[in-house]
Amino acid sequence: MTDTNYRPGLEGVVAAETALSQVDGQNGRLVIAGYQLEDLAAQASFEEVCFLLWHGTLPGQSELEEFRTSMAEFRVLPSATHSLLEQAAHHKVSPMDALRMAAATFDLDLGEGQEIDELTRAKAITARIPPAVATYWRYLQGLEAIGPRQDLGRSANYLYMLTGLEPGPATVRALETYLNTVADHGLNASTFAARVIIATESDMVSAVTGAIGALKGPLHGGAPGPALDMVFEIGEAERAEQYIRSKLDRGERLMGFGHRVYKVRDPRADVLAAAAEAMFSTEGDMHLYELAKEVESTVLALLEESKPGRNLKTNVEFFTALLLHGIGLEIPLFTPTFAAGRVAGWIGHCLEQQRTARLIRPDSRYVGPTDLAWVPIEQRP
Ligand code: COA
């Protein structure tokens, strides 16, 4: 029996209504809770974006202050989380695995036997991802953990906990813009995972832990690393054309280009390119930025030549790699840093899903046999 409703990978299936983000792949537009990404990402603080995604409106000044302070109070990790991260470093697990383990402990010290309200959990989870990543990274390098600072913003505190140094304002702005840019993106795999979990009336820590597991996979949170490797391997702008041509001749894909949904330029690439330019021109290696721009324009020209009419454009990964590298993050930190931004959307979607109070439970089509005869164990070969 053929079931015409069957869509492998749920492609094209609308499984939720959301007021959080609109991904318009044909026109290359991304709207975040009513605002164009270009207007929001480079101006808002990450806490403002969280407030917007969780409450549906931008906060007023005192609301924002209160929201920020109450979130910052959760930056201290439970002591059990520290012990867990130390053990994980002993086993040298990947930063994403360490984050997944740590996330499951984020509400350990919250309730003390009392019911915890979901917004408190949401703030604790969001506040604790960067400290957990930074703490783990230091343990992995055999270094002492650095405690959080309440006087710094979320992004500045993350970089401070990683390095012990207070970052400059352009670096902080660049990271904040990145986190805002990736805060939400429709019903992507990790967000869907979070919604499925919360829809069973489970809790937000479970939903975010599951989402981190989904984000870890290379088909999602993936590896912007190879895009950066390509720029490094090219090294000098004059070598770009020959290098890229030979990759294309070998039938290889160029990392950081092409997108399943965006058939024009990914709007996030533009926002991140502008953020990278602003940062590199004040606090970074402008040579690297200029080289990356040369590589980008050569790739775009050669993709149009070798795959005419396919509209293969720059995607979010290309400038993510450049920006996060410029901020000083090493490649294994890229995906956990993505989680530090996407958590705003995961939680927004959890709150939205809780309001619909509808279990997510699709059907499957059975394709196995139905008429096998039971064989007792002693008669099996
Ligand atoms: N470099 C070279 N060729 C590419 C390409 C790339 N980055 N992306 C797509 N193509 C080619 C494909 O080989 C295919 O050519 P063919 O039909 O002659 O075989 C054609 O363009 C269409 O590709 P298709 O596989 O249908 O695109 P898709 O929508 O399934 O894939 C991606 C989208 C993202 C998987 C794909 O563009 C890709 O692999 N990009 C590189 C990896 C990357 O940057 N991932 C991060 C995405 S945010």
Side-chain angles (χ1 to χ4, degrees), residues 248 252-260 263 266 268 303 307 310 312 315-317:
L248 288 172
E252 287 180 34
R253 292 196 175 203
L254 303 170
M255 294 297 134
F257 297 87
H259 198 274
R260 176 61 59 80
K263 294 306 167 201
D266 182 337
R268 298 170 299 172
L303 279 175
K307 308 275 175 194
R310 297 289 193 149
L312 298 171
N315 67 41
V316 67
E317 303 287 8

PDB file of all heavy atoms in Angstrom, residues 248 252-260 263 266 268 303 307 310 312 315-317, ligand 1:
ATOM      1  N   LEU A 248      36.953  21.759  -7.599  1.00  0.00           N
ATOM      2  CA  LEU A 248      35.724  21.549  -8.372  1.00  0.00           C
ATOM      3  C   LEU A 248      35.935  20.463  -9.430  1.00  0.00           C
ATOM      4  O   LEU A 248      35.056  19.627  -9.660  1.00  0.00           O
ATOM      5  CB  LEU A 248      35.247  22.858  -9.009  1.00  0.00           C
ATOM      6  CG  LEU A 248      34.657  23.891  -8.040  1.00  0.00           C
ATOM      7  CD1 LEU A 248      34.405  25.220  -8.743  1.00  0.00           C
ATOM      8  CD2 LEU A 248      33.357  23.375  -7.407  1.00  0.00           C
ATOM      9  N   GLU A 252      34.684  17.930  -5.763  1.00  0.00           N
ATOM     10  CA  GLU A 252      34.511  18.196  -4.323  1.00  0.00           C
ATOM     11  C   GLU A 252      33.554  19.354  -4.097  1.00  0.00           C
ATOM     12  O   GLU A 252      33.439  20.247  -4.931  1.00  0.00           O
ATOM     13  CB  GLU A 252      35.870  18.541  -3.695  1.00  0.00           C
ATOM     14  CG  GLU A 252      36.768  17.346  -3.554  1.00  0.00           C
ATOM     15  CD  GLU A 252      38.104  17.717  -2.931  1.00  0.00           C
ATOM     16  OE1 GLU A 252      38.156  18.626  -2.073  1.00  0.00           O
ATOM     17  OE2 GLU A 252      39.110  17.099  -3.324  1.00  0.00           O
ATOM     18  N   ARG A 253      32.906  19.343  -2.957  1.00  0.00           N
ATOM     19  CA  ARG A 253      32.042  20.473  -2.572  1.00  0.00           C
ATOM     20  C   ARG A 253      32.856  21.503  -1.808  1.00  0.00           C
ATOM     21  O   ARG A 253      33.745  21.144  -1.032  1.00  0.00           O
ATOM     22  CB  ARG A 253      30.895  19.983  -1.702  1.00  0.00           C
ATOM     23  CG  ARG A 253      29.965  19.137  -2.511  1.00  0.00           C
ATOM     24  CD  ARG A 253      28.655  18.946  -1.839  1.00  0.00           C
ATOM     25  NE  ARG A 253      27.802  18.203  -2.767  1.00  0.00           N
ATOM     26  CZ  ARG A 253      26.492  18.225  -2.727  1.00  0.00           C
ATOM     27  NH1 ARG A 253      25.866  18.923  -1.814  1.00  0.00           N
ATOM     28  NH2 ARG A 253      25.799  17.530  -3.594  1.00  0.00           N
ATOM     29  N   LEU A 254      32.529  22.741  -2.028  1.00  0.00           N
ATOM     30  CA  LEU A 254      33.246  23.816  -1.348  1.00  0.00           C
ATOM     31  C   LEU A 254      32.461  24.182  -0.093  1.00  0.00           C
ATOM     32  O   LEU A 254      31.287  24.576  -0.172  1.00  0.00           O
ATOM     33  CB  LEU A 254      33.390  25.014  -2.280  1.00  0.00           C
ATOM     34  CG  LEU A 254      34.110  24.663  -3.592  1.00  0.00           C
ATOM     35  CD1 LEU A 254      34.027  25.804  -4.578  1.00  0.00           C
ATOM     36  CD2 LEU A 254      35.572  24.303  -3.324  1.00  0.00           C
ATOM     37  N   MET A 255      33.094  23.993   1.039  1.00  0.00           N
ATOM     38  CA  MET A 255      32.406  24.198   2.317  1.00  0.00           C
ATOM     39  C   MET A 255      32.094  25.680   2.531  1.00  0.00           C
ATOM     40  O   MET A 255      32.925  26.541   2.263  1.00  0.00           O
ATOM     41  CB  MET A 255      33.280  23.679   3.467  1.00  0.00           C
ATOM     42  CG  MET A 255      33.470  22.195   3.410  1.00  0.00           C
ATOM     43  SD  MET A 255      31.884  21.335   3.591  1.00  0.00           S
ATOM     44  CE  MET A 255      31.976  20.137   2.316  1.00  0.00           C
ATOM     45  N   GLY A 256      30.878  25.939   3.017  1.00  0.00           N
ATOM     46  CA  GLY A 256      30.475  27.329   3.240  1.00  0.00           C
ATOM     47  C   GLY A 256      29.693  27.912   2.071  1.00  0.00           C
ATOM     48  O   GLY A 256      29.373  29.114   2.075  1.00  0.00           O
ATOM     49  N   PHE A 257      29.349  27.044   1.102  1.00  0.00           N
ATOM     50  CA  PHE A 257      28.578  27.527  -0.065  1.00  0.00           C
ATOM     51  C   PHE A 257      27.439  26.560  -0.359  1.00  0.00           C
ATOM     52  O   PHE A 257      27.576  25.353  -0.165  1.00  0.00           O
ATOM     53  CB  PHE A 257      29.503  27.674  -1.282  1.00  0.00           C
ATOM     54  CG  PHE A 257      30.555  28.710  -1.036  1.00  0.00           C
ATOM     55  CD1 PHE A 257      31.741  28.380  -0.411  1.00  0.00           C
ATOM     56  CD2 PHE A 257      30.309  30.049  -1.350  1.00  0.00           C
ATOM     57  CE1 PHE A 257      32.694  29.341  -0.115  1.00  0.00           C
ATOM     58  CE2 PHE A 257      31.258  31.025  -1.055  1.00  0.00           C
ATOM     59  CZ  PHE A 257      32.449  30.663  -0.445  1.00  0.00           C
ATOM     60  N   GLY A 258      26.311  27.111  -0.817  1.00  0.00           N
ATOM     61  CA  GLY A 258      25.132  26.299  -1.121  1.00  0.00           C
ATOM     62  C   GLY A 258      24.263  26.134   0.118  1.00  0.00           C
ATOM     63  O   GLY A 258      24.751  26.220   1.260  1.00  0.00           O
ATOM     64  N   HIS A 259      22.967  25.971  -0.075  1.00  0.00           N
ATOM     65  CA  HIS A 259      22.050  25.792   1.052  1.00  0.00           C
ATOM     66  C   HIS A 259      20.794  25.091   0.577  1.00  0.00           C
ATOM     67  O   HIS A 259      20.335  25.330  -0.546  1.00  0.00           O
ATOM     68  CB  HIS A 259      21.687  27.153   1.671  1.00  0.00           C
ATOM     69  CG  HIS A 259      21.126  27.040   3.057  1.00  0.00           C
ATOM     70  ND1 HIS A 259      19.787  26.826   3.287  1.00  0.00           N
ATOM     71  CD2 HIS A 259      21.723  27.077   4.273  1.00  0.00           C
ATOM     72  CE1 HIS A 259      19.587  26.753   4.598  1.00  0.00           C
ATOM     73  NE2 HIS A 259      20.744  26.904   5.220  1.00  0.00           N
ATOM     74  N   ARG A 260      20.242  24.214   1.408  1.00  0.00           N
ATOM     75  CA  ARG A 260      19.028  23.498   1.048  1.00  0.00           C
ATOM     76  C   ARG A 260      17.818  24.441   0.940  1.00  0.00           C
ATOM     77  O   ARG A 260      16.989  24.319   0.039  1.00  0.00           O
ATOM     78  CB  ARG A 260      18.771  22.387   2.091  1.00  0.00           C
ATOM     79  CG  ARG A 260      17.484  21.606   1.928  1.00  0.00           C
ATOM     80  CD  ARG A 260      17.363  20.852   0.620  1.00  0.00           C
ATOM     81  NE  ARG A 260      18.388  19.879   0.348  1.00  0.00           N
ATOM     82  CZ  ARG A 260      18.448  18.634   0.848  1.00  0.00           C
ATOM     83  NH1 ARG A 260      17.540  18.224   1.686  1.00  0.00           N
ATOM     84  NH2 ARG A 260      19.419  17.823   0.500  1.00  0.00           N
ATOM     85  N   LYS A 263      17.905  29.837  -1.651  1.00  0.00           N
ATOM     86  CA  LYS A 263      18.285  29.738  -3.054  1.00  0.00           C
ATOM     87  C   LYS A 263      18.867  31.063  -3.539  1.00  0.00           C
ATOM     88  O   LYS A 263      19.176  31.239  -4.708  1.00  0.00           O
ATOM     89  CB  LYS A 263      17.094  29.285  -3.919  1.00  0.00           C
ATOM     90  CG  LYS A 263      16.670  27.863  -3.575  1.00  0.00           C
ATOM     91  CD  LYS A 263      17.862  26.874  -3.650  1.00  0.00           C
ATOM     92  CE  LYS A 263      17.547  25.519  -3.014  1.00  0.00           C
ATOM     93  NZ  LYS A 263      18.732  24.751  -2.620  1.00  0.00           N
ATOM     94  N   ASP A 266      22.355  33.576   1.702  1.00  0.00           N
ATOM     95  CA  ASP A 266      21.886  33.385   3.075  1.00  0.00           C
ATOM     96  C   ASP A 266      22.018  34.736   3.800  1.00  0.00           C
ATOM     97  O   ASP A 266      23.131  35.260   3.908  1.00  0.00           O
ATOM     98  CB  ASP A 266      22.779  32.303   3.698  1.00  0.00           C
ATOM     99  CG  ASP A 266      22.404  31.923   5.122  1.00  0.00           C
ATOM    100  OD1 ASP A 266      21.774  32.741   5.799  1.00  0.00           O
ATOM    101  OD2 ASP A 266      22.775  30.820   5.550  1.00  0.00           O
ATOM    102  N   ARG A 268      22.108  35.519   6.736  1.00  0.00           N
ATOM    103  CA  ARG A 268      22.999  35.455   7.902  1.00  0.00           C
ATOM    104  C   ARG A 268      24.457  35.661   7.482  1.00  0.00           C
ATOM    105  O   ARG A 268      25.260  36.186   8.242  1.00  0.00           O
ATOM    106  CB  ARG A 268      22.823  34.108   8.622  1.00  0.00           C
ATOM    107  CG  ARG A 268      21.405  33.934   9.160  1.00  0.00           C
ATOM    108  CD  ARG A 268      21.164  32.529   9.640  1.00  0.00           C
ATOM    109  NE  ARG A 268      21.325  31.552   8.572  1.00  0.00           N
ATOM    110  CZ  ARG A 268      21.314  30.242   8.741  1.00  0.00           C
ATOM    111  NH1 ARG A 268      21.135  29.744   9.946  1.00  0.00           N
ATOM    112  NH2 ARG A 268      21.469  29.423   7.714  1.00  0.00           N
ATOM    113  N   LEU A 303      31.686  28.763  -9.059  1.00  0.00           N
ATOM    114  CA  LEU A 303      30.480  27.926  -8.896  1.00  0.00           C
ATOM    115  C   LEU A 303      29.461  28.257  -9.980  1.00  0.00           C
ATOM    116  O   LEU A 303      28.800  27.369 -10.521  1.00  0.00           O
ATOM    117  CB  LEU A 303      29.854  28.129  -7.504  1.00  0.00           C
ATOM    118  CG  LEU A 303      30.499  27.351  -6.352  1.00  0.00           C
ATOM    119  CD1 LEU A 303      29.849  27.736  -5.021  1.00  0.00           C
ATOM    120  CD2 LEU A 303      30.408  25.838  -6.552  1.00  0.00           C
ATOM    121  N   LYS A 307      28.470  25.274 -12.171  1.00  0.00           N
ATOM    122  CA  LYS A 307      27.082  24.829 -11.918  1.00  0.00           C
ATOM    123  C   LYS A 307      26.138  25.968 -12.287  1.00  0.00           C
ATOM    124  O   LYS A 307      25.463  26.542 -11.428  1.00  0.00           O
ATOM    125  CB  LYS A 307      26.882  24.481 -10.429  1.00  0.00           C
ATOM    126  CG  LYS A 307      27.879  23.525  -9.850  1.00  0.00           C
ATOM    127  CD  LYS A 307      27.494  22.089 -10.097  1.00  0.00           C
ATOM    128  CE  LYS A 307      28.596  21.161  -9.609  1.00  0.00           C
ATOM    129  NZ  LYS A 307      28.452  19.796 -10.093  1.00  0.00           N
ATOM    130  N   ARG A 310      22.484  27.232 -10.768  1.00  0.00           N
ATOM    131  CA  ARG A 310      22.166  26.557  -9.493  1.00  0.00           C
ATOM    132  C   ARG A 310      22.054  27.538  -8.328  1.00  0.00           C
ATOM    133  O   ARG A 310      21.634  27.154  -7.233  1.00  0.00           O
ATOM    134  CB  ARG A 310      23.256  25.547  -9.139  1.00  0.00           C
ATOM    135  CG  ARG A 310      23.398  24.436 -10.117  1.00  0.00           C
ATOM    136  CD  ARG A 310      22.220  23.497 -10.021  1.00  0.00           C
ATOM    137  NE  ARG A 310      22.529  22.289 -10.735  1.00  0.00           N
ATOM    138  CZ  ARG A 310      22.062  21.103 -10.409  1.00  0.00           C
ATOM    139  NH1 ARG A 310      21.260  20.970  -9.389  1.00  0.00           N
ATOM    140  NH2 ARG A 310      22.375  20.061 -11.129  1.00  0.00           N
ATOM    141  N   LEU A 312      24.309  28.825  -6.320  1.00  0.00           N
ATOM    142  CA  LEU A 312      25.047  28.409  -5.120  1.00  0.00           C
ATOM    143  C   LEU A 312      25.733  29.638  -4.530  1.00  0.00           C
ATOM    144  O   LEU A 312      26.625  30.210  -5.141  1.00  0.00           O
ATOM    145  CB  LEU A 312      26.067  27.324  -5.474  1.00  0.00           C
ATOM    146  CG  LEU A 312      25.458  26.033  -6.029  1.00  0.00           C
ATOM    147  CD1 LEU A 312      26.550  25.096  -6.552  1.00  0.00           C
ATOM    148  CD2 LEU A 312      24.622  25.330  -4.976  1.00  0.00           C
ATOM    149  N   ASN A 315      26.966  30.559   2.364  1.00  0.00           N
ATOM    150  CA  ASN A 315      26.053  30.265   3.479  1.00  0.00           C
ATOM    151  C   ASN A 315      26.647  30.739   4.803  1.00  0.00           C
ATOM    152  O   ASN A 315      27.763  31.257   4.854  1.00  0.00           O
ATOM    153  CB  ASN A 315      25.650  28.781   3.484  1.00  0.00           C
ATOM    154  CG  ASN A 315      26.821  27.851   3.797  1.00  0.00           C
ATOM    155  OD1 ASN A 315      27.637  28.128   4.663  1.00  0.00           O
ATOM    156  ND2 ASN A 315      26.896  26.740   3.068  1.00  0.00           N
ATOM    157  N   VAL A 316      25.873  30.515   5.866  1.00  0.00           N
ATOM    158  CA  VAL A 316      26.226  31.048   7.184  1.00  0.00           C
ATOM    159  C   VAL A 316      27.576  30.514   7.687  1.00  0.00           C
ATOM    160  O   VAL A 316      28.291  31.193   8.418  1.00  0.00           O
ATOM    161  CB  VAL A 316      25.086  30.734   8.188  1.00  0.00           C
ATOM    162  CG1 VAL A 316      24.975  29.245   8.457  1.00  0.00           C
ATOM    163  CG2 VAL A 316      25.224  31.506   9.471  1.00  0.00           C
ATOM    164  N   GLU A 317      27.944  29.296   7.238  1.00  0.00           N
ATOM    165  CA  GLU A 317      29.139  28.663   7.810  1.00  0.00           C
ATOM    166  C   GLU A 317      30.428  29.407   7.445  1.00  0.00           C
ATOM    167  O   GLU A 317      31.384  29.427   8.209  1.00  0.00           O
ATOM    168  CB  GLU A 317      29.265  27.207   7.326  1.00  0.00           C
ATOM    169  CG  GLU A 317      28.079  26.331   7.623  1.00  0.00           C
ATOM    170  CD  GLU A 317      27.960  25.952   9.081  1.00  0.00           C
ATOM    171  OE1 GLU A 317      28.715  26.481   9.906  1.00  0.00           O
ATOM    172  OE2 GLU A 317      27.074  25.138   9.387  1.00  0.00           O
TER     173      GLU A 317
HETATM  174  N1  COA B   1      30.319  23.144  -3.795  1.00  0.00           N
HETATM  175  C1  COA B   1      30.292  22.594  -5.026  1.00  0.00           C
HETATM  176  N2  COA B   1      29.160  22.127  -5.605  1.00  0.00           N
HETATM  177  C2  COA B   1      28.030  22.228  -4.910  1.00  0.00           C
HETATM  178  C3  COA B   1      27.997  22.794  -3.623  1.00  0.00           C
HETATM  179  C4  COA B   1      29.198  23.262  -3.076  1.00  0.00           C
HETATM  180  N3  COA B   1      29.246  23.807  -1.847  1.00  0.00           N
HETATM  181  N4  COA B   1      26.723  22.753  -3.166  1.00  0.00           N
HETATM  182  C5  COA B   1      25.984  22.178  -4.122  1.00  0.00           C
HETATM  183  N5  COA B   1      26.775  21.850  -5.165  1.00  0.00           N
HETATM  184  C6  COA B   1      26.366  21.237  -6.411  1.00  0.00           C
HETATM  185  C7  COA B   1      26.028  19.762  -6.224  1.00  0.00           C
HETATM  186  O1  COA B   1      27.174  18.945  -6.446  1.00  0.00           O
HETATM  187  C8  COA B   1      24.966  19.542  -7.269  1.00  0.00           C
HETATM  188  O2  COA B   1      25.577  19.413  -8.521  1.00  0.00           O
HETATM  189  P1  COA B   1      25.109  18.240  -9.526  1.00  0.00           P
HETATM  190  O3  COA B   1      23.627  18.344  -9.609  1.00  0.00           O
HETATM  191  O4  COA B   1      25.842  18.573 -10.776  1.00  0.00           O
HETATM  192  O5  COA B   1      25.544  16.969  -8.867  1.00  0.00           O
HETATM  193  C9  COA B   1      24.224  20.880  -7.286  1.00  0.00           C
HETATM  194  O6  COA B   1      25.166  21.843  -6.814  1.00  0.00           O
HETATM  195  C10 COA B   1      22.992  20.919  -6.384  1.00  0.00           C
HETATM  196  O7  COA B   1      23.362  20.422  -5.141  1.00  0.00           O
HETATM  197  P2  COA B   1      22.360  19.700  -4.143  1.00  0.00           P
HETATM  198  O8  COA B   1      23.057  18.543  -3.529  1.00  0.00           O
HETATM  199  O9  COA B   1      21.022  19.458  -4.769  1.00  0.00           O
HETATM  200  O10 COA B   1      22.164  20.799  -3.083  1.00  0.00           O
HETATM  201  P3  COA B   1      21.457  20.531  -1.728  1.00  0.00           P
HETATM  202  O11 COA B   1      20.399  21.536  -1.593  1.00  0.00           O
HETATM  203  O12 COA B   1      21.073  19.138  -1.524  1.00  0.00           O
HETATM  204  O13 COA B   1      22.669  20.727  -0.710  1.00  0.00           O
HETATM  205  C11 COA B   1      24.150  21.586   0.798  1.00  0.00           C
HETATM  206  C12 COA B   1      22.801  21.775   0.118  1.00  0.00           C
HETATM  207  C13 COA B   1      24.303  22.629   1.894  1.00  0.00           C
HETATM  208  C14 COA B   1      24.221  20.184   1.462  1.00  0.00           C
HETATM  209  C15 COA B   1      25.281  21.726  -0.233  1.00  0.00           C
HETATM  210  O14 COA B   1      25.189  22.965  -0.883  1.00  0.00           O
HETATM  211  C16 COA B   1      26.665  21.512   0.339  1.00  0.00           C
HETATM  212  O15 COA B   1      27.100  20.360   0.480  1.00  0.00           O
HETATM  213  N6  COA B   1      27.368  22.617   0.726  1.00  0.00           N
HETATM  214  C17 COA B   1      28.677  22.520   1.317  1.00  0.00           C
HETATM  215  C18 COA B   1      28.580  22.180   2.771  1.00  0.00           C
HETATM  216  C19 COA B   1      28.141  23.359   3.619  1.00  0.00           C
HETATM  217  O16 COA B   1      28.600  24.470   3.458  1.00  0.00           O
HETATM  218  N7  COA B   1      27.234  23.071   4.569  1.00  0.00           N
HETATM  219  C20 COA B   1      26.703  24.073   5.469  1.00  0.00           C
HETATM  220  C21 COA B   1      25.279  24.431   5.089  1.00  0.00           C
HETATM  221  S1  COA B   1      24.643  25.748   6.104  1.00  0.00           S
END
